């Protein structure tokens, strides 16, 4: 506990005045709390607050909700409770309360309101009030975009989206300032320099001027020039000043030069895009002088006005002109020579001479031809003169001159028609349009110039309109798949274009020939075919022609392998059949390769490779259809494996029977009968009785399997089995008895 001891001659302690805010500038409605006390325990003390020496209250703390009248110096002092001890006054706390918070000032790092894409930009918000706890708010288009205790906001790489109106505010706790003035920022794409110059060509002795500008921009730019991608600077023949480049043309400058300019913004790291290239062709020889005739008709009609104009292809100013006709000076000055009323005597060669600074150049001679008015020619736009009703007919009256200077008069059967243009159009022909047509021309500007009439053109309109003739080749009742179908369409007259349709829809791909060929027919080609004959805007359809496509008879491939073939050499027998009642030859394919077989059966040695191969077949014949469809692909691997298993089982069964018979024969030989009895017919037969068809055993042996084999079942049906056992080897039933080792059957 702190203990205060007062001694005579010792000053009383000085209380400590503290504020809960570390700034002295306040604004209306803010709150500040002042505290008066000593370091340690101040419980035995009471305190008094004073402003300008006047007592306010006697609490340890003083809370003020600020208003301008609260401004002034504040102090406090302490009094020891129960004793007449009063401390010194504390240090003064000067409180300043302003009428209102001043508006912040928004500045930016670049004075210009135009910022270019990629530039950096920094805004700074300042308020003339000392405080360490301001929060700075930045806005764009009234939307807050940044808030921080730092008074700056930066855009590192400006984009077009950063354009807008910027302002800022400052905030301290519940106190918010007014808005700063608005700073409008426009972010633009980096501009492209523009090179301006009327100079395209120049001659030695002339001075060429080029100017580089940045459109719609007022900033200060520094300009750079490039010629054929190399920097250009001032030199003996070149002068660069501001945004202008001047070139004094010399003979050694001859060539084609590509000029480009570029500008850099002064005191900023912004460089414009280069201008488009400007070509300057500098000649080292005489200019090209061109003489043109106005009007530019190849011939001028007598009585017309004609002008000859002299121009320089490379340069068009500051030249003096003189004219000559057939080397005779005409005394005409200026770039235009005018003949007011042409006559045949004005025919001749005209030459233009130009001079500048004592140098004279001459043009090539221009021939001026004066003739009498031309004769018109009547023609028909189409290649045919016979039409059908509703067709479009176009007649044209042409004059070998500028058609815009002529109007025309038309006649049908010597009667005038109202049409005055060079084209007579009949949009929909009728019978009444048949007749004899003529025309003649009249000059638009001079009514005295009239041509003679053309020769008559006869037009015929035929009615009724025939339909296109559609035919099919060959003329079969129906077609088989893969066959070739050829359709022909013909329409009388000239100039027809043909379009083909199937079931009222255009064929795909679209065909515009007189014939339509299906190289390989399929079932979807069945339908009604029509052809459309068309010329110009007129078209007519043929009658429909029905085309029918049928599927080819299918070929069926089956396995017809005999057991004896398998046991003798593993032979696979395949059969191909087209069941449509016709006679067929057959084509076989193994793994896509055609085999040299033409009968309906194919025998193939069964090996580890062949049983994996794919077989197919089809029928062929000399009459339609020439061939059937291909059979399904057959692979023998699985069925052969099953057959071998069944044959092995059958062989074992036959061997057991033979062994049983031999055992019975041996038992018969070694056994002695005890008494004579009537011998019963032995179940065994002698070899001499081999051919007896009534023997049960032989009937069993001679039985033939009649069931057909099926590739999808697992059972194997044998077509022919008849064997005997000789030395453990299966022999054919037709083997002679001598091969049986002399064994015969025994009786009683």
């Amino acid at each position: 506990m702190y203990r205060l001891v007062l001694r005579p001659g010792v000053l009383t302690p000085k209380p400590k005045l503290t504020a809960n805010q570390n700034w002295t500038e306040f604004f209306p409605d803010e709150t500040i709390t002042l505290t008066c006390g000593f370091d340690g325990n101040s419980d035995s003390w009471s305190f008094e607050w004073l402003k300008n020496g006047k007592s306010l209250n006697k609490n340890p703390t003083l809370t003020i909700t600020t208003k301008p009248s609260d401004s002034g110096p504040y102090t406090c002092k302490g009094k020891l409770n129960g004793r007449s001890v009063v401390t010194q006054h504390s240090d003064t706390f000067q409180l300043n309360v302003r009428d209102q918070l001043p508006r912040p000032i928004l500045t930016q790092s670049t004075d210009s309101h135009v910022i270019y894409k990629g530039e950096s930009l920094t805004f700074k918000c300042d308020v003339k009030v000392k405080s360490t706890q301001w929060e700075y708010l930045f806005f764009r288009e009234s939307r807050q975009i940044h808030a921080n205790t730092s008074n700056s906001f930066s855009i590192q790489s400006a984009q077009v989206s950063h354009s807008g109106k910027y302002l800022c505010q400052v905030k301290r706790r519940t106190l918010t300032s007014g808005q700063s003035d608005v700073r409008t920022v426009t972010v633009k794409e980096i501009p492209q320099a523009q090179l301006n110059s009327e100079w395209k060509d120049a001659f030695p002795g002339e001075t060429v001027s080029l100017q580089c500008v940045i459109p719609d921009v007022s900033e200060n730019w520094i300009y750079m020039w490039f010629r054929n991608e190399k920097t250009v600077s001032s030199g003996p023949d070149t002068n660069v000043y501001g945004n202008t480049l001047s070139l004094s043309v010399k003979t050694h400058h001859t060539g084609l030069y590509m000029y480009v300019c570029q500008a850099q913004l002064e005191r900023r790291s912004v460089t414009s895009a280069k201008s488009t290239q400007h070509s300057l062709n500098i000649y080292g020889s005489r200019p090209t002088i061109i003489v043109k005739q106005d009007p530019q008709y190849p011939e001028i009609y007598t009585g017309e006005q004609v002008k000859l104009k002299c121009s320089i292809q490379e340069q068009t100013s500051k030249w003096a002109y003189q004219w000559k006709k057939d080397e005779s000076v005409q005394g005409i000055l200026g770039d235009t020579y005018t003949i007011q009323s042409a006559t045949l005597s004005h025919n001749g060669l005209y030459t233009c001479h130009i001079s500048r600074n004592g140098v004279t150049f001459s043009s090539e001679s221009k021939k001026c031809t004066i003739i009498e008015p031309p004769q018109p020619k009547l023609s028909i736009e189409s290649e045919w003169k016979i039409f059908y009703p509703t067709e479009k007919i176009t007649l044209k009256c042409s004059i070998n001159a500028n058609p815009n200077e002529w109007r025309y008069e038309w006649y049908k059967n010597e009667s005038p028609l109202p049409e005055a243009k060079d084209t007579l159009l009949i949009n929909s022909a009728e019978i009444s349009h048949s007749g004899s047509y003529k025309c003649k021309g009249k000059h638009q500007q001079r009514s005295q110039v009239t041509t003679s009439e053309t020769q008559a053109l006869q037009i015929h309109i035929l009615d009724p309109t025939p339909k296109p003739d559609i035919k099919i080749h060959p003329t079969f009742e129906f077609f088989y798949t893969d066959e070739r179908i050829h359709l022909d369409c013909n329409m009388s007259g000239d100039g027809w274009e043909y379009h083909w349709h199937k079931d009222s829809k255009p064929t795909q791909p679209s065909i515009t020939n007189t014939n339509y060929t299906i190289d390989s027919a399929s079932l979807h080609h069945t339908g009604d075919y029509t052809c459309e004959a068309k010329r110009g805007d007129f078209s007519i359809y043929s009658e429909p022609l029905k085309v029918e496509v049928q599927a080819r008879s299918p070929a069926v491939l089956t396995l017809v392998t005999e057991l004896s073939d398998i046991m003798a050499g593993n032979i696979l027998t395949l059969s191909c059949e087209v069941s449509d009642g016709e006679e067929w030859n057959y084509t076989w394919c193994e793994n896509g390769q055609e085999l040299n077989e033409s009968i309906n059966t194919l025998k193939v040695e069964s090996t580890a490779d062949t049983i994996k191969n794919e077989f197919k077949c089809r029928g062929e014949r000399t009459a339609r259809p020439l061939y059937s469809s291909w059979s399904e692909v057959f692979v023998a691997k699985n069925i052969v494996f099953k057959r071998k298993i069944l044959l092995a089982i059958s062989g074992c069964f036959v061997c057991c029977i033979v062994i049983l018979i031999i055992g019975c024969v041996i038992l018969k030989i070694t056994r002695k009968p005890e008494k004579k009895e009537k011998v019963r017919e032995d179940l065994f037969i002698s070899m001499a009785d081999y051919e007896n068809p009534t023997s049960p055993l032989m009937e069993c042996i001679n039985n033939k399997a009649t069931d057909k084999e099926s590739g999808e079942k697992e059972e194997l049906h044998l077509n022919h089995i008849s064997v005997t056992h000789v030395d453990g080897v299966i022999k054919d039933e037709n083997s002679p008895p001598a091969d049986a080792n002399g064994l015969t059957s025994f009786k009683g």
Side-chain angles (χ1 to χ4, degrees):
M1 177 182 293
Y2 175 80
R3 183 179 180 184
L4 180 64
V5 179
L6 298 179
R7 293 184 176 86
V10 178
L11 294 175
T12 58
K14 183 179 181 181
K16 184 177 182 181
L17 189 156
T18 59
N20 65 339
Q21 307 292 357
N22 59 358
W23 58 86
T24 60
E25 296 284 345
F26 288 83
F27 300 93
D29 297 327
E30 284 193 283
T31 299
I32 182 173
T33 299
L34 303 177
T35 303
C36 188
F38 298 103
D39 292 335
N41 192 345
S42 301
D43 293 342
S44 58
W45 292 85
S46 59
F47 298 93
E48 182 181 5
W49 289 94
L50 300 98
K51 174 188 175 186
N52 293 323
K54 294 182 180 181
S55 176
L56 297 177
N57 65 35
K58 296 183 179 182
N59 295 321
T61 61
L62 176 63
T63 299
I64 304 171
T65 300
T66 59
K67 52 185 180 294
S69 60
D70 292 326
S71 297
Y74 287 81
T75 58
C76 70
K77 63 182 179 178
K79 181 179 180 181
L80 190 61
N81 294 332
R83 297 170 63 182
S84 58
V85 177
V86 179
T87 69
Q88 305 176 51
H89 285 263
S90 67
D91 292 335
T92 300
F93 178 83
Q94 183 65 39
L95 176 63
N96 297 316
V97 181
R98 299 193 178 190
D99 291 339
Q100 61 181 5
L101 180 63
R103 292 174 60 192
I105 299 173
L106 180 65
T107 59
Q108 66 184 66
S109 57
T110 302
D111 292 337
S112 175
H113 71 279
V114 176
I115 303 297
Y116 293 99
K117 190 175 179 180
E119 277 194 283
S120 62
L121 177 64
T122 299
F123 291 98
K124 190 173 182 181
C125 189
D126 291 313
V127 60
K128 295 181 178 180
V129 177
K130 294 182 179 181
S131 176
T132 59
Q133 294 190 12
W134 289 117
E135 182 181 11
Y136 297 88
L137 310 179
F138 291 87
F139 299 83
R140 180 174 64 234
E141 301 294 344
S142 302
R143 178 174 171 268
Q144 183 176 321
I145 58 173
H146 185 74
N148 204 311
T149 56
S150 172
N151 69 336
S152 63
F153 164 63
S154 297
I155 299 173
Q156 299 300 325
S157 179
Q159 303 297 322
V160 176
S161 60
H162 290 130
S163 298
K165 296 180 178 180
Y166 288 79
L167 56 85
C168 74
Q169 288 180 292
V170 295
K171 182 179 180 182
R172 185 171 66 190
R173 294 189 177 181
T174 59
L175 178 67
T176 302
S177 73
Q179 295 179 344
S180 68
D181 290 335
V182 173
R183 301 282 296 191
T184 300
V185 172
T186 302
V187 181
K188 293 184 177 181
E189 296 287 344
I190 294 178
Q192 181 180 15
Q194 181 177 311
L195 196 158
N196 296 331
S197 177
E198 296 180 354
W199 291 86
K200 302 294 182 182
D201 304 273
F203 296 93
E206 295 184 292
T207 299
V208 176
S209 177
L210 306 176
Q211 190 176 48
C212 187
V213 297
I214 304 297
D216 304 324
V217 174
S218 59
E219 287 91 354
N220 295 324
W221 295 84
I222 300 172
Y223 297 89
M224 298 168 285
W225 291 90
F226 304 89
R227 179 172 57 213
N228 294 348
E229 299 183 355
K230 294 182 180 179
T231 303
V232 178
S233 56
S234 295
D237 303 324
T238 305
N239 181 33
V240 177
Y241 180 77
N243 68 334
T244 302
L245 180 146
S246 298
L247 173 65
S248 298
V249 180
K250 299 293 188 297
T251 303
H252 64 270
H253 292 147
T254 301
L256 179 64
Y257 296 92
M258 306 304 294
Y259 282 86
V260 173
C261 72
Q262 191 176 22
Q264 183 175 358
L265 197 56
E266 193 173 6
R267 295 188 300 276
R268 287 165 65 179
S269 58
V270 177
T271 302
S272 73
K274 289 184 177 180
S275 68
T276 56
Q277 291 184 336
H278 178 84
S279 62
L280 178 63
N281 195 5
I282 298 179
Y283 295 90
S285 59
R286 63 187 302 278
T288 303
I289 306 171
I290 300 174
V291 176
K292 293 183 178 181
Q293 177 182 295
D294 182 28
Q296 296 182 5
Y297 304 129
E299 298 86 16
I300 301 299
Y301 305 115
T302 54
E304 291 188 89
Q305 183 189 78
V306 60
K307 293 182 179 181
L308 299 176
K309 186 173 181 59
C310 184
S311 63
I312 305 169
Q313 180 176 326
E314 298 79 5
Q315 172 67 28
T316 58
S317 62
K318 299 180 181 179
W319 294 89
Y321 299 86
Q322 188 179 49
W323 292 90
K324 290 183 180 181
K325 174 183 176 289
D326 298 329
E327 299 301 325
S328 174
V329 177
Q330 298 298 302
I332 303 298
L333 301 178
D335 61 349
T336 303
Y337 182 83
T338 303
I339 301 173
Q340 296 294 342
S341 180
T343 63
L344 295 179
S345 63
H346 286 115
N347 279 296
L349 298 176
Y350 290 81
T351 307
C352 174
H353 300 265
I354 62 172
S355 60
R356 183 171 59 185
N357 297 326
V359 179
T360 302
F361 301 98
S362 300
S363 70
E364 297 288 338
S365 297
K366 174 68 176 179
K367 184 177 181 180
C368 183
T369 303
I370 312 298
I371 62 172
E372 298 294 337
Q375 297 301 311
K377 179 181 178 182
L378 177 61
S379 61
I380 188 169
E381 189 176 78
S382 60
E383 300 175 357
W384 54 93
K385 299 179 182 179
I386 298 176
F387 296 86
Y388 298 103
T390 73
E391 271 200 274
K392 183 179 178 180
I393 304 174
T394 303
L395 301 179
K396 187 173 182 63
C397 191
S398 58
I399 296 178
N400 189 19
N402 189 340
N404 295 327
E405 295 184 353
W406 296 88
R407 60 184 178 88
Y408 302 84
E409 294 180 355
W410 290 89
Y411 301 89
K412 176 193 170 189
N413 298 332
E414 304 300 333
S415 298
L417 298 174
E419 184 61 56
K421 296 182 179 179
D422 64 343
T423 302
L424 178 63
L425 179 62
I426 302 174
N427 286 312
S428 181
E430 300 176 358
I431 296 295
S432 60
H433 288 126
S434 296
S436 177
Y437 289 81
K438 294 181 181 180
C439 73
K440 67 178 180 180
K442 284 192 174 183
H443 206 278
Q444 291 274 33
Q445 288 77 29
R446 297 158 303 231
S447 60
Q448 296 83 1
V449 181
T450 303
T451 69
S452 61
E453 291 183 350
T454 63
Q455 293 183 352
L457 180 64
Q458 196 70 32
I459 299 297
H460 301 279
I461 312 297
L462 299 184
D463 193 26
T465 304
K467 289 188 176 182
D469 183 22
I470 184 171
K471 294 180 180 180
I472 189 169
H473 303 286
T475 55
F476 296 138
E477 180 181 356
F478 60 85
F479 292 83
Y480 293 101
T481 54
D482 299 331
E483 284 189 313
R484 190 172 185 266
I485 304 174
H486 185 83
L487 302 177
D488 283 326
C489 187
N490 183 54
M491 179 70 179
S492 61
D494 300 322
W496 294 103
E497 182 182 88
Y498 297 89
H499 298 263
W500 290 88
H501 302 264
K502 174 181 173 288
D503 297 330
S504 301
K505 296 181 180 179
T507 57
Q508 296 296 331
S510 178
I511 303 297
T512 59
N513 298 328
T514 58
N515 53 69
Y516 177 61
T517 301
I518 302 173
D519 291 320
S520 180
S522 60
L523 295 179
H524 75 270
H525 286 120
T526 296
D528 292 330
Y529 287 78
T530 56
C531 79
E532 176 191 11
K534 185 176 182 179
R535 62 183 184 186
D537 298 330
F538 178 77
S539 64
I540 187 168
Y541 288 84
S542 70
E543 293 292 341
L545 177 63
K546 186 173 183 60
V547 175
E548 182 179 354
V549 181
Q550 294 185 2
R552 295 181 179 273
S553 300
V556 180
L557 189 154
T558 57
L559 177 65
V560 198
T561 302
E562 297 181 356
L563 178 60
S564 58
D565 291 335
I566 296 176
M567 298 306 297
N570 291 337
I571 299 300
L572 297 178
T573 302
L574 305 177
S575 173
C576 188
E577 189 72 28
V578 180
S579 301
D580 62 354
E582 303 291 345
E583 292 186 2
W584 293 87
N585 292 326
Y586 294 90
T587 296
W588 292 86
C589 283
E590 181 180 1
N591 289 338
Q593 299 294 324
E594 187 173 337
L595 303 177
N596 189 20
E597 293 289 344
S598 62
I599 60 176
N600 70 327
T601 59
L602 175 68
K603 291 189 177 184
V604 182
E605 183 179 356
S606 177
T607 66
D609 293 329
T610 59
I611 65 174
K612 299 176 183 178
N613 291 344
E614 296 181 348
F615 294 89
K616 64 179 180 177
C617 67
R618 76 175 182 183
E620 294 187 352
R621 57 198 296 261
T622 57
R624 292 183 69 245
L626 299 177
Y627 53 88
S628 71
S629 63
W630 285 100
S631 68
E632 293 184 357
V633 174
F634 175 80
V635 181
K637 179 178 179 180
N638 295 334
I639 191 66
V640 170
F641 179 69
K642 294 177 182 179
R643 285 181 175 272
K644 288 185 176 182
I645 294 176
L646 292 175
L647 286 174
I649 296 173
S650 300
C652 293
F653 179 71
V654 172
C655 288
C656 291
I657 294 175
V658 173
I659 293 172
L660 179 59
I661 294 172
I662 293 173
C664 292
V665 172
I666 295 173
L667 181 61
K668 183 68 174 177
I669 295 172
T670 56
R671 179 180 176 185
K672 295 181 180 179
E674 295 180 359
K675 46 183 159 182
K676 190 173 184 180
E677 298 178 357
K678 183 179 179 180
V679 180
R680 300 173 62 187
E681 185 177 356
D682 195 358
L683 294 174
F684 298 92
I685 62 175
S686 67
M687 296 304 292
D689 297 328
Y690 184 81
E691 299 297 332
N692 184 4
T694 61
S695 170
L697 181 58
M698 292 309 296
E699 289 180 359
C700 178
I701 295 175
N702 290 328
N703 280 341
K704 296 181 179 178
T706 60
D707 295 337
K708 293 182 178 179
E709 70 179 17
S710 172
E712 298 179 355
K713 296 182 179 181
E714 294 183 357
E715 297 179 356
L716 177 62
H717 302 280
L718 304 179
N719 291 331
H720 183 69
I721 301 177
S722 179
V723 296
T724 57
H725 187 274
V726 181
D727 294 335
V729 180
I730 299 176
K731 297 293 185 178
D732 188 86
E733 66 173 346
N734 295 324
S735 298
D739 294 337
N741 289 335
L743 294 179
T744 60
S745 62
F746 293 86
K747 297 182 180 180

